[in-house]
Amino acid sequence: MFRRRVLPFIVFVFVSTLAIAEHRAIPTLVVEGDDGNVALDLVALKIDVTIRGHLARTEYELTYRNSLDRVTGGDFHFPLPPDAEVSDLGLYFDGKLRRGVAVERTLARTAYEETVHRAVDPALVEWTAGRGFRLRVYPIPEHGEKQVFIAYDQELTGGDYVLDLRYGKAMRFAATIDADGRAIETEGIVPFASDAKEQMVDGVVRVLRETSPTSFIAHAPDAWYASATIDVDAQPAQMPPAAHVVILYDTSSSSVQQNAALVRRFLTEFLGRQQAWSTAVIVPFHIALDPARRVERAGTATGQRDVERILGELQPLGATNLIAVASELSASLPSMPVATRVIVVTDGLTSLGSSREVAAAFAKLAGGRRPLLFVHASSTADDQLLSNAARATGGWSIDLTRTDPEVAAASAMRKPVSMKFEGSDVFPSSVIAMADTRVAVAWRADILSALGRTGCPPSSRELHDPREINMVRRAWARARLREMLAHGASDEALIAHGRAFTQLTPRTSLLVLESWWDYERYGIEMPPELAAEKAHEIEEARRDREKEERRLAPVVTAPAAPEAGVWCMRGTVTFGDGSPLPGVTVTLKDGAVTLLSDITSEDGRFAFFHTPPPEEPQVIAELSGLNAARHAFPGPIVSGTSIELHMNASVSQAITVTAAAPTLEVTRTASATTVRLLNTIAQDASAASDDPEVRAEVAKQRRELTREVVAKLRAIGSTSERVRYYVSARALLGGDKSFHVFAAEAFRERSPEIAARILSDLAEARPEDGALLRILARVLDGWGETDLARLLLRRAIDLSSAEPQSWRELLLLEARHGRPAEVAALTKKIRAMKSNAWDIREIFEQTEEALARWERASSLARERGADIRTDERDDLTIELMWDTDWCWVDIHIVEPGGEIVKWDHTVSAAGAKFTGGYIFGYGPEIYSIPKAARGEYRVDVDYYASDETNVSLETLAHVVVYTRGQRRDYFAVLSTDQEHYTLVTIPVK
């Protein structure tokens, strides 16, 4: 159920990657982990490009070499060209390409991360804001290679086709470009060849866009599709020079990705075209809006210099909150003078709230008749979000990375013109133009003649090749998706669209798994080749069973042949060093009854097929000379489940269930392989070292550096100087949990607002880490930043709606702030998703206890707000949560009398109670005592990680302590497996 955070990263790596991407769009596969600055070596590259008029498809086959002495995972970075979207994903198995299938996002992430922990090959592509995407690959074998297939499609309406090959290195390289007869231009070293061979690659390929509009039709199995470019003769009217200009200026931490010089050139040009005596009001925003700065005579050179000076003084700090911007505009636009121009300068990247919430917030401005101008100068901007927000207000969006600032300023002085297209299956349904432009339009119809009635150009060229047909069909699917996002389509509609077109959407991901068992386990439709493989294996199993029955009748010892609806399980048996064990006798039992047995193959695999499903399945592996291995489940499990059994090793985690009583016993030993956190110092030469001692020293240096930086922050007296020092240090340590958490604490006493912005910086650095966002929300709500905490929790739920901890935290927040309607809605949701699975059952029990406290509260108390996290009758409550899965972080409470209350000793003589010890990953663990004896209660933190696939084991633990209703918060950033230390000692008087 629970999933570890697979893609931690350090922001200086991410920023450096982005900086490179401004100049080179080079794919990199970065070793996963908090030391994520080790990029694997690209040793082979094959590229296949197809261009038909305005449509282009680019396919990459990339082979990366892992020179490390360990198996690792990879985080793929590849900034996409303008107007491009990922359209295909694949991995190679035994030299054969297996393409990804579209899967609902939460299910895809669950399948990926659980599959990773069985050490087989998955790959996952997820939707992210902006022009990027997230691709995760595991495992990449030690001193081995991994071959990845990925493709993107684009429409060439605004520029030429450009293929960036500035790798500056020799590799096995092959490239073919089918440009439909158009000239192919090259700069630098670009060796075209259909067969890969070792050669230097360092150049750029360019194919000029068509000078005239193009139009194509194609017949796919489900319908006729068309895609065409249309030249829009906008002829917009000039807008009069404005007397007032309002500039909402993004000063979040992600704004460092903006090209500030381009933005200032644009603003200077734009202000110069307004009334010379006009005023400019600059409103910086981040998690909130800062006080406005007013500039008089902004249309003059003096006024423009004042604007540049103000912008230069702004510090990028905090996360982006576009919802707050929309809320402020909703309140202020009606009172603004009629001749006011409003500009929003932002990259649109937001970790606060979902993109759907942002779009809905700006959609509320539609009736205000105040068109907004959105401006950005970032190659990673969320173009769709900004365009949709602008269009909702009747305004427009300008990308300064693709338009000269002076030209953009001139265009901004024209009234946008809207053009609508007729037909229910014509997309976009309308376009907004502020100058003559070329746009791409797509059509769909059941019959060919219907295309003409929708407005498709009659002279369209029909395409017949399967690849060409797919390009036209996907062009319609992309246009349709953009329309759906602009109009707030439901999750169900987005999922259906993604599945129908095998498309990446905010609610569907592209997933590749190794075997048909993996697809069947999660109920995912499998690729055709695996469906055939499944049928073949089932037939072979049937024949083997019949043969074995004839030999041993009436005793059946071979797996029963699977038929329709037959329950199945498979697994592997390995030795302590991870090598497969053949010849092991594996037995399947249902409680005390033996059902089937199997002998493991050469690769340690076994399989069972049975009807009906066992109620209390238990698997036992036995081999002479080795300790038996057992795996039991507390109840029925789904068909397709895969397990791994280890023999002749001290098992780091053994789960057993007795038939007499449903008592779960979790045994932990100290023998699990310790996987050290590989923290590195930026640009340190030892970063890529495989020497454990070198890595340990690097990690030590980094922790010492973080402590020194935080100590320096605390020593600086001036708040402004502190901020400047923090921003400088963030360039090196951005994304590091210790740095952000303890830097925020350093500001907390004197500058609580800045402390909140610093914590939100961490959210901005890791916007896809739902578990981390949840912890930050807990902290911020305790600090009084309720709105910010609520947005982070909603974002966490959007990322992983199956994790009940986020729902519980949001319920507790809404109860504390007196919102009974929201509590009722959340209660209904949580109870509907309630599960009795052994690793999450206690979360729902803890939630029910909190709801019982809510029910006991009076109506007046509910309206005013009730803190139901604790029982008011308890003297002392201690609650722990953390942000990484596939591990335990335990609290051990040493009571004044010396008794230790923890996960395996849950009730003390003094009346204390402990819950949450069997929750695997994230927590919470809760200690409570109604009548606390006087004395000191010591809180120890114990970190245990059984996950050997996770390179990074850094976790952020957050402890909330209530002493007779008074709350205190404590942090621990744990970086070594089996770390144990005292967090705090709490005096009770």
Side-chain angles (χ1 to χ4, degrees):
M1 180 64 187
F2 286 101
R3 297 159 299 283
R4 68 183 175 91
R5 177 180 50 78
V6 180
L7 289 178
F9 56 87
I10 291 294
V11 135
F12 65 77
V13 177
F14 187 57
V15 170
S16 65
T17 302
L18 292 172
I20 293 171
E22 293 286 349
H23 306 287
R24 297 189 300 161
I26 302 302
T28 57
L29 189 58
V30 177
V31 171
E32 129 189 334
D34 287 292
D35 64 328
N37 59 334
V38 181
L40 299 187
D41 186 28
L42 179 65
V43 296
L45 173 62
K46 181 180 179 181
I47 297 179
D48 194 356
V49 180
T50 304
I51 301 175
R52 294 293 180 268
H54 62 285
L55 300 177
R57 178 177 175 84
T58 308
E59 298 179 350
Y60 281 78
E61 291 182 7
L62 306 111
T63 303
Y64 289 94
R65 174 78 178 173
N66 176 18
S67 61
L68 303 175
D69 292 326
R70 56 178 167 81
V71 175
T72 186
D75 179 6
F76 189 82
H77 297 279
F78 187 5
L80 290 170
D83 301 323
E85 295 178 13
V86 173
S87 54
D88 213 344
L89 162 72
L91 287 181
Y92 280 85
F93 295 91
D94 299 324
K96 296 181 179 179
L97 175 63
R98 181 173 305 148
R99 285 189 160 92
V101 295
V103 182
E104 188 277 324
R105 178 178 179 134
T106 301
L107 176 60
R109 184 177 293 183
T110 300
Y112 173 84
E113 296 184 0
E114 290 183 354
T115 302
V116 161
H117 288 82
R118 288 183 281 115
V120 291
D121 286 17
L124 176 69
V125 168
E126 295 182 298
W127 175 283
T128 62
R131 298 177 192 162
F133 59 94
R134 174 172 281 98
L135 168 59
R136 299 185 273 185
V137 180
Y138 184 93
I140 305 170
E142 58 185 271
H143 298 288
E145 295 182 350
K146 175 69 71 174
Q147 191 172 7
V148 180
F149 172 86
I150 195 159
Y152 61 82
D153 285 79
Q154 64 189 122
E155 284 119 16
L156 308 172
T157 57
D160 304 331
Y161 174 85
V162 178
L163 179 63
D164 197 337
L165 299 173
R166 288 175 288 176
Y167 291 88
K169 60 175 292 185
M171 69 179 88
R172 301 193 305 275
F173 179 79
T176 58
I177 297 183
D178 177 1
D180 207 19
R182 287 150 67 182
I184 301 172
E185 300 177 356
T186 62
E187 301 174 9
I189 303 174
V190 183
F192 287 102
S194 57
D195 297 324
K197 59 182 180 180
E198 194 79 14
Q199 47 196 335
M200 174 61 70
V201 182
D202 190 17
V204 177
V205 177
R206 186 182 302 273
V207 178
L208 301 181
R209 76 165 187 161
E210 290 278 12
T211 55
S212 301
T214 55
S215 177
F216 303 99
I217 61 172
H219 184 233
D222 57 334
W224 281 88
Y225 292 89
S227 178
T229 52
I230 297 174
D231 285 337
V232 177
D233 185 10
Q235 297 184 352
Q238 288 291 123
M239 298 185 72
H244 307 280
V245 178
V246 176
I247 303 171
L248 291 128
Y249 198 86
D250 188 346
T251 58
S252 68
S253 58
S254 67
S255 66
V256 298
Q257 300 176 34
Q258 293 262 40
N259 187 324
L262 290 179
V263 171
R264 291 173 190 175
R265 278 176 55 195
F266 168 80
L267 291 176
T268 298
E269 285 290 327
F270 180 81
L271 291 172
R273 295 171 184 269
Q274 311 313 314
Q275 299 285 355
W277 43 268
S278 63
T279 59
V281 177
I282 301 171
V283 184
F285 68 90
H286 34 85
I287 62 174
L289 279 69
D290 282 344
R293 277 84 154 169
R294 185 181 179 90
V295 177
E296 303 292 345
R297 303 186 63 82
T300 66
T302 301
Q304 293 163 17
R305 285 194 296 271
D306 288 342
V307 169
E308 290 197 11
R309 175 183 54 77
I310 291 172
L311 297 181
E313 293 173 351
L314 300 176
Q315 292 281 13
L317 180 62
T320 311
N321 189 354
L322 289 177
I323 294 176
V325 172
S327 177
E328 172 61 27
L329 286 173
S330 179
S332 61
L333 280 177
S335 62
M336 289 183 185
V338 176
T340 301
R341 296 293 304 275
V342 181
I343 303 174
V344 182
V345 179
T346 179
D347 55 13
L349 296 178
T350 174
S351 56
L352 303 184
S354 67
S355 58
R356 179 175 297 168
E357 289 177 307
V358 174
F362 279 97
K364 294 179 180 178
L365 303 176
R369 297 183 180 180
R370 293 296 183 99
L372 300 183
L373 173 60
F374 285 79
V375 178
H376 76 84
S378 170
S379 61
T380 60
D382 192 336
D383 292 315
Q384 291 189 9
L385 184 149
L386 298 181
S387 297
N388 291 340
R391 185 163 61 172
T393 69
W396 59 105
S397 177
I398 293 177
D399 179 355
L400 296 177
T401 67
R402 301 169 63 184
T403 305
D404 182 82
E406 287 76 15
V407 174
S411 299
M413 294 304 295
R414 305 186 186 109
K415 293 182 179 179
V417 175
S418 177
M419 172 182 287
K420 295 186 177 181
F421 299 97
E422 300 297 329
S424 59
D425 272 351
V426 181
F427 300 106
S429 58
S430 64
V431 296
I432 294 177
M434 55 189 175
D436 294 348
T437 188
R438 177 172 293 178
V439 298
V441 183
W443 295 261
R444 184 177 72 170
D446 293 333
I447 58 176
L448 179 60
S449 59
L451 282 179
R453 292 197 297 271
T454 63
C456 172
S459 58
S460 299
R461 171 184 165 189
E462 184 174 354
L463 302 177
H464 300 280
D465 182 84
R467 175 180 294 195
E468 297 174 331
I469 294 172
N470 193 43
M471 289 169 64
V472 178
R473 184 173 182 266
R474 294 197 69 87
W476 183 89
R478 290 194 304 277
R480 171 62 177 145
L481 177 60
R482 288 191 287 267
E483 196 83 3
M484 294 173 73
L485 295 177
H487 292 87
S490 67
D491 287 349
E492 293 74 16
L494 291 172
I495 292 170
H497 183 81
R499 287 174 175 168
F501 294 92
T502 316
Q503 189 173 16
L504 200 63
T505 78
R507 300 311 313 169
T508 54
S509 302
L510 299 182
L511 178 69
V512 178
L513 299 173
E514 181 181 26
S515 69
W516 66 265
W517 292 84
D518 298 311
Y519 289 87
E520 185 160 286
R521 177 181 186 184
Y522 298 101
I524 298 172
E525 183 178 356
M526 62 188 70
E529 70 271 16
L530 287 187
E533 184 179 311
K534 173 186 175 182
H536 177 72
E537 286 190 19
I538 289 176
E539 177 62 20
E540 281 194 337
R542 184 188 66 78
R543 292 174 182 171
D544 290 343
R545 183 201 62 176
E546 292 177 352
K547 181 179 179 180
E548 195 73 4
E549 284 178 341
R550 289 192 297 269
R551 187 175 72 86
L552 298 173
V555 179
V556 179
T557 59
E563 299 170 357
V566 171
W567 177 89
C568 56
M569 169 190 279
R570 74 163 187 168
T572 57
V573 181
T574 60
F575 191 62
D577 61 359
S579 59
L581 276 174
V584 178
T585 299
V586 186
T587 304
L588 172 66
K589 288 188 172 186
D590 188 354
V593 179
T594 298
L595 299 181
L596 298 168
S597 65
D598 193 11
I599 306 297
T600 58
S601 60
E602 292 182 358
D603 56 1
R605 296 179 183 270
F606 64 89
F608 296 120
F609 302 88
H610 194 267
T611 299
E615 293 296 321
E616 298 178 25
Q618 183 179 181
V619 181
I620 305 171
E622 298 172 295
L623 184 64
S624 178
L626 299 180
N627 295 328
R630 299 171 183 267
H631 195 113
F633 301 86
I637 57 175
V638 298
S639 179
T641 294
S642 180
I643 66 172
E644 184 172 346
L645 299 173
H646 303 276
M647 302 187 72
N648 196 31
S650 298
V651 181
S652 61
Q653 173 188 323
I655 304 173
T656 60
V657 180
T658 63
T663 303
L664 183 65
E665 178 185 353
V666 180
T667 303
R668 308 178 189 186
T669 74
S671 61
T673 302
T674 300
V675 185
R676 290 182 172 83
L677 176 67
L678 306 178
N679 281 330
T680 59
I681 297 175
Q683 301 177 354
D684 192 297
S686 63
S689 173
D690 292 329
D691 187 331
E693 293 184 3
V694 173
R695 293 185 179 192
E697 180 60 28
V698 169
K700 179 181 177 182
Q701 291 178 25
R702 182 172 183 80
R703 288 193 293 270
E704 290 176 352
L705 174 63
T706 302
R707 283 195 292 267
E708 290 175 6
V709 168
V710 173
K712 173 67 173 176
L713 273 174
R714 293 183 183 278
I716 298 174
S718 165
T719 299
S720 60
E721 287 298 323
R722 273 192 183 187
V723 170
R724 277 192 283 271
Y725 184 79
Y726 164 78
V727 172
S728 299
R730 188 183 61 194
L732 172 65
L733 298 170
D736 180 275
K737 297 177 186 179
S738 298
F739 167 65
H740 285 282
V741 166
F742 296 118
E745 281 199 322
F747 278 92
R748 174 81 180 119
E749 184 176 347
R750 286 191 295 174
S751 309
E753 187 267 343
I754 293 177
R757 290 175 68 178
I758 289 173
L759 277 191
S760 74
D761 268 355
L762 186 55
E764 186 108 320
R766 303 188 181 196
E768 304 299 318
D769 189 344
L772 174 63
L773 299 183
R774 178 169 59 239
I775 297 297
L776 297 178
R778 275 168 53 99
V779 177
L780 288 165
D781 186 39
W783 287 3
E785 296 286 347
T786 305
D787 292 338
L788 182 54
R790 185 179 289 115
L791 287 172
L792 288 176
L793 287 172
R794 288 177 179 170
R795 171 72 175 167
I797 290 171
D798 187 56
L799 289 170
S800 188
S801 59
E803 290 173 3
Q805 290 93 336
S806 297
W807 293 97
R808 174 181 177 271
E809 287 298 320
L810 185 56
L811 181 145
L812 296 176
L813 179 147
E814 301 295 16
R816 194 162 76 87
H817 295 286
R819 302 181 72 177
E822 285 77 6
V823 171
L826 289 166
T827 299
K828 183 178 180 180
K829 174 66 179 179
I830 292 171
R831 285 175 172 167
M833 65 187 293
K834 183 176 181 179
S835 170
N836 288 318
W838 71 269
D839 55 353
I840 60 172
R841 180 172 54 241
E842 286 185 274
I843 300 174
F844 294 102
E845 293 173 357
Q846 293 165 343
T847 304
E848 287 297 333
E849 290 177 0
L851 287 172
R853 292 191 282 272
W854 176 257
E855 293 298 328
R856 289 198 302 267
S858 66
S859 298
L860 180 60
R862 292 185 201 174
E863 291 293 336
R864 291 179 175 177
D867 193 345
I868 59 175
R869 188 183 296 275
T870 64
D871 192 322
E872 67 277 3
R873 296 170 294 187
D874 290 336
D875 281 349
L876 179 64
T877 302
I878 303 170
E879 180 177 307
L880 162 74
M881 288 190 73
W882 61 97
D883 72 337
T884 48
D885 202 1
W886 300 93
C887 69
W888 277 274
V889 179
D890 294 322
I891 46 172
H892 296 185
I893 310 301
V894 183
E895 296 182 338
E899 189 172 2
I900 302 176
V901 183
K902 55 189 179 74
W903 67 274
D904 58 352
H905 181 65
T906 58
V907 178
S908 74
K913 182 178 71 171
F914 184 100
T915 65
Y918 294 107
I919 297 172
F920 184 43
Y922 306 139
E925 290 188 348
I926 304 174
Y927 168 94
S928 59
I929 183 168
K931 296 186 181 302
R934 292 182 179 181
E936 293 186 338
Y937 290 74
R938 195 180 81 211
V939 182
D940 290 352
V941 179
D942 185 82
Y943 181 29
Y944 175 85
S946 61
D947 177 23
E948 297 182 8
T949 66
N950 193 355
V951 174
S952 168
L953 297 177
E954 183 185 50
T955 189
L956 171 61
H958 176 232
V959 176
V960 181
V961 176
Y962 285 86
T963 308
R964 297 191 176 102
Q966 296 298 311
R967 172 172 170 160
R968 296 289 186 274
D969 292 63
Y970 302 91
F971 303 100
V973 180
L974 308 161
S975 58
T976 306
D977 181 22
Q978 299 181 352
E979 185 170 0
H980 183 101
Y981 70 94
T982 297
L983 176 66
V984 66
T985 299
I986 304 164
V988 175
K989 300 178 181 180

